[in-house]
C-alpha cells in the first residue's frame, strides 16, 4: 500500500484535480462570449451628437458649433461651443423610449462666436435617442446709409 498523506495534503490534491480542468476551460469560455456584459451602474453615457443636415450655399463656409451630448439616466445635457466667427442656433432633441413619454425639443438657443452653452432636457423614464440640430443665425442686415 502507498504512503498515506495527511488530511490537509489530500484536500489540496483533490482541489488541484478539480481546479486544473476548470482553469483550462476558462479561456475557451471567455472566447465564446461575443461582447462583455454592460456594467450594472454605468456612469454617464457620452454620445457624439447627431447633426441634422444643413443646407449650405455655394462658397459659404461650414461653421456650426461643436456639440456633445451626455445621458445620465433620464436626463440629457448638450454642451456646445462655437469657435467660428458666425453665430449658430442649436436645439436639443430627445426621443424617449416609452410610447407614453412625451419627446422633448428645446427652444433654439443662439451661440455667438467663442461662446459656450448647455442645453438640458429629460424624459420620465429611459432615453431612446438624443441629437442636436443646427440652424445658422441670419446674417445681420446691412446698415442704411
Amino acid at each position: 500500500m502507498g504512503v498515506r498523506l495527511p488530511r490537509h495534503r489530500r484536500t489540496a490534491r483533490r482541489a488541484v484535480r478539480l481546479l486544473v480542468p476548470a482553469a483550462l476551460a476558462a479561456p475557451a469560455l471567455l472566447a465564446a462570449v461575443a461582447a462583455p456584459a454592460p456594467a450594472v451602474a454605468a456612469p454617464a453615457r457620452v454620445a457624439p451628437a447627431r447633426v441634422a443636415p444643413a443646407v449650405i450655399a455655394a462658397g459659404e463656409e461650414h461653421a456650426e458649433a461643436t456639440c456633445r451630448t451626455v445621458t445620465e439616466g433620464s436626463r440629457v445635457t448638450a454642451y456646445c461651443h462655437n469657435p467660428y466667427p458666425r453665430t449658430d442656433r442649436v436645439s436639443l432633441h430627445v426621443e424617449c423610449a416609452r410610447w407614453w413619454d412625451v419627446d422633448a425639443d428645446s427652444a433654439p438657443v443662439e451661440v455667438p462666436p467663442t461662446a459656450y452653452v448647455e442645453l438640458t432636457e429629460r424624459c420620465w423614464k429611459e432615453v431612446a435617442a438624443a441629437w442636436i440640430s443646427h440652424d445658422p443665425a441670419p446674417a445681420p442686415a446691412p446698415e442704411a446709409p
Side-chain angles (χ1 to χ4, degrees), residues 37-52:
V40 175
R45 185 178 60 178
V46 177
R50 291 190 328 194
V51 179

Side-chain angles (χ1 to χ4, degrees), residues 1 8 10 12 39 52 55 60 64 67 71 79 81 104 106 108 119-120 128 134 137 139 144-145:
M1 209 148 121
H8 68 280
R10 283 182 290 187
V55 177
E60 189 175 323
E64 293 180 342
C67 298
T71 302
Y79 303 96
H81 174 257
S106 73
L119 302 169
T120 303
H134 296 267

